[in-house]
Each structure stands twice: as structure tokens, then as C-alpha cells.
Amino acid sequence: MNDRKPLIAGNWKMFKTCSEAIATAKQLAHLIRKNQAVDVMIAPPFIALEKVSEAIKDSHLSLGGQNLFWQSEGAYTGEISANMLTSVGCEYVIIGHSERRQYFGESDATVNRKIRAAVDHHLKPILCIGESEKERESKDTFSVLDKQMKTGLKGFSLDDLTSLIIAYEPVWAIGTGKTATADQAQEVHRFLRSMLATSYGNTLANSIRILYGGSVKPDNISELMAMADVDGALVGGASLDPETFSNIVHFEK
Ligand code: PGA
């Protein structure tokens, strides 16, 4: 047993208009209203954040951004800063999602700067890491994760990392229907927690929530959550429908 409160986070990616996002968020807030044992976060597209924030203000749903840029303001067309996210009610921000790395050129070095901006603005960063199928096949999973973690977290002090959340998302499992088995997830999560313990000590390592992401569904969440080092999930496709997502939030213990 540990005292890490589970976090189930929904990444809506580039889905839903503002009105669709408001309607989904309201339904979800209603469906999960009795479940205080789990933290629940949704990350709608930027354009819907402010309205969704108003729609969920009396619920225990939290809001997150899907990305940010590390500068606080300036001539950076198309970008959104940490203080812009907090100004519309965000508590979390997803950083370094594999789709950002794959399609938008994000690297461990840019991820590091983004986590710094999040920490400085009291946003809880959800650092996404994960290996590709090729890397897993060539048995490079642990070295890839080691590099993503070490570069992503370079220069941070213990105090900086108290609100850090890690999401292990094997790239081959995202949106593919292929989930890592609960044992595969646990093996990696345990490795990540031991890396954190080596760098920052057991107290911090035991308090950081490590989420699993990649084709999480109502029928595989309980098995994943039964693992000692799995503290929640980052859910893409299955977070878009309020009923389905609430079934994930209400996983069986
Ligand atoms: P998925 O996405 O649940 O659709 O596989 C997970 C993610 O990208 O965070």
C-alpha cells in the first residue's frame, strides 16, 4: 500500500469544438460526482479551456493544458504560455507527449524547458515518456526511458519536483488498441521509480505518481491499477466519451 492518490487524466487531443467540450465536461462531472477517491483531470483543446473551466467549477474535475511554450509572453505566433494556462483555471499540463515529439519536433531538451516553465508557474507537469516499437524490439526500452527522464528533468531540485507526474506511454500502444500488459507496465514503472529514488531519494520517488498511457479502456484499467507502481492513467481515445471515461474513473479496486 502507498498513499499516492490515483490520477485518471483525459487527453482530448484535437477533438471537440468548444460547445462539444462543455457538454462532455458537464456530463463527466455529473457521472464522477461521487468518486472523491481519484483525482480526475481533462485536457480539452486550448480554445475550450476557459468555458470548460466555468462549466466544471463546482465539481472535483480538474483542468489541464495539452502543451505550453516556455516563454511567458512574446512574439511566438501560435504558442500558449504557462501563465495563460493558469489564468483560465488549469492545474496540470501535459508535456512531451509522443505526438508532440513525433509531429512537432519536441526533444528532451525542449521538454526540459517546458517543465521548468510549468514548475515556475505552479502547474503540475505530466511528463510523457515512452519507447517506440522498434526500440522495444531491440531491447532499448530502459536506455531510451533513462535518457528521456534524465534530460527532461535535468537541473531540477527536489523541491521543484514535488508536483511532477510521469506518464509512461509506450508509443506502440497509443491509439493502436495494443496495450502493454499489466506486468510490462509494472516492470517499467518500477524501473522509473527506482531511477527517481537514485536521483532524488526514496521519499520523493514514493510520492510521485506514475501513470500508464496507451489504449487504456474500461476493460483493462482495473488490471493496470492493481500493479504496485501504477498510480493512474493518461487516456486518449477512451476519454472522449463521458460514459466510457467515467467507467475508467470507477475502476474496480
Ligand atoms: P490512447 O492515447 O488512449 O488513445 O491510446 C493515449 C495518449 O495519447 O495519451
Side-chain angles (χ1 to χ4, degrees), residues 92-175:
Y92 298 86
V93 61
I94 299 169
I95 294 181
H97 189 280
S98 65
E99 286 150 15
R100 303 252 8 129
R101 296 176 189 255
Q102 185 179 351
Y103 305 123
F104 304 101
E106 293 201 8
S107 64
D108 294 326
T110 60
V111 163
N112 180 266
R113 298 185 77 172
K114 291 182 176 205
I115 297 175
R116 169 53 62 200
V119 168
D120 289 349
H121 290 86
H122 309 291
L123 276 166
K124 296 176 181 150
I126 303 181
L127 163 61
C128 300
I129 55 174
E131 81 287 2
S132 66
E133 188 151 36
K134 209 165 136 223
E135 288 160 344
R136 178 161 278 264
E137 278 165 5
S138 55
K139 307 217 177 315
D140 289 330
T141 299
F142 293 115
S143 62
V144 167
L145 295 170
D146 183 90
K147 181 173 168 289
Q148 289 177 339
M149 285 268 283
K150 286 203 175 126
T151 316
L153 299 179
K154 197 168 166 196
F156 287 98
S157 70
L158 223 109
D159 277 355
D160 287 333
L161 299 182
T162 48
S163 62
L164 175 74
I165 294 148
I166 290 172
Y168 167 57
E169 300 205 302
V171 179
W172 48 271
I174 296 178

Side-chain angles (χ1 to χ4, degrees), residues 4-183:
R4 296 184 295 273
K5 190 173 181 188
L7 169 64
I8 305 290
N11 173 12
W12 290 359
K13 308 190 180 183
M14 199 173 72
F15 290 100
K16 297 186 190 293
T17 61
C18 191
S19 54
E20 288 165 349
I22 296 166
T24 307
K26 281 188 181 161
Q27 281 181 53
L28 179 65
H30 180 73
L31 290 167
I32 63 152
R33 69 195 179 283
K34 294 197 180 120
N35 194 337
Q36 306 281 342
V38 176
D39 286 336
V40 187
M41 180 280 261
I42 48 174
F46 288 141
I47 52 109
L49 284 172
E50 186 166 16
K51 292 275 191 217
V52 168
S53 176
E54 283 163 24
I56 62 174
K57 71 174 184 305
D58 296 323
S59 75
H60 80 283
L61 254 181
S62 301
L63 200 61
Q66 297 179 15
N67 178 33
L68 56 65
F69 187 57
W70 56 79
Q71 297 287 358
S72 43
E73 59 179 12
Y76 303 105
T77 303
E79 294 297 317
I80 300 278
S81 69
N83 51 310
M84 289 174 185
L85 292 180
T86 54
S87 75
V88 291
C90 286
E91 182 183 337
Y92 298 86
V93 61
I94 299 169
I95 294 181
H97 189 280
S98 65
E99 286 150 15
R100 303 252 8 129
R101 296 176 189 255
Q102 185 179 351
Y103 305 123
F104 304 101
E106 293 201 8
S107 64
D108 294 326
T110 60
V111 163
N112 180 266
R113 298 185 77 172
K114 291 182 176 205
I115 297 175
R116 169 53 62 200
V119 168
D120 289 349
H121 290 86
H122 309 291
L123 276 166
K124 296 176 181 150
I126 303 181
L127 163 61
C128 300
I129 55 174
E131 81 287 2
S132 66
E133 188 151 36
K134 209 165 136 223
E135 288 160 344
R136 178 161 278 264
E137 278 165 5
S138 55
K139 307 217 177 315
D140 289 330
T141 299
F142 293 115
S143 62
V144 167
L145 295 170
D146 183 90
K147 181 173 168 289
Q148 289 177 339
M149 285 268 283
K150 286 203 175 126
T151 316
L153 299 179
K154 197 168 166 196
F156 287 98
S157 70
L158 223 109
D159 277 355
D160 287 333
L161 299 182
T162 48
S163 62
L164 175 74
I165 294 148
I166 290 172
Y168 167 57
E169 300 205 302
V171 179
W172 48 271
I174 296 178
T176 57
K178 289 190 205 171
T179 330
T181 64
D183 289 333

Side-chain angles (χ1 to χ4, degrees), residues 8-13 16 24 28 41-43 216 234-246 248:
I8 305 290
N11 173 12
W12 290 359
K13 308 190 180 183
K16 297 186 190 293
T24 307
L28 179 65
M41 180 280 261
I42 48 174
V216 172
L234 181 54
V235 186
S239 71
L240 296 170
D241 173 65
E243 294 270 353
T244 309
F245 192 49
S246 90
I248 294 177

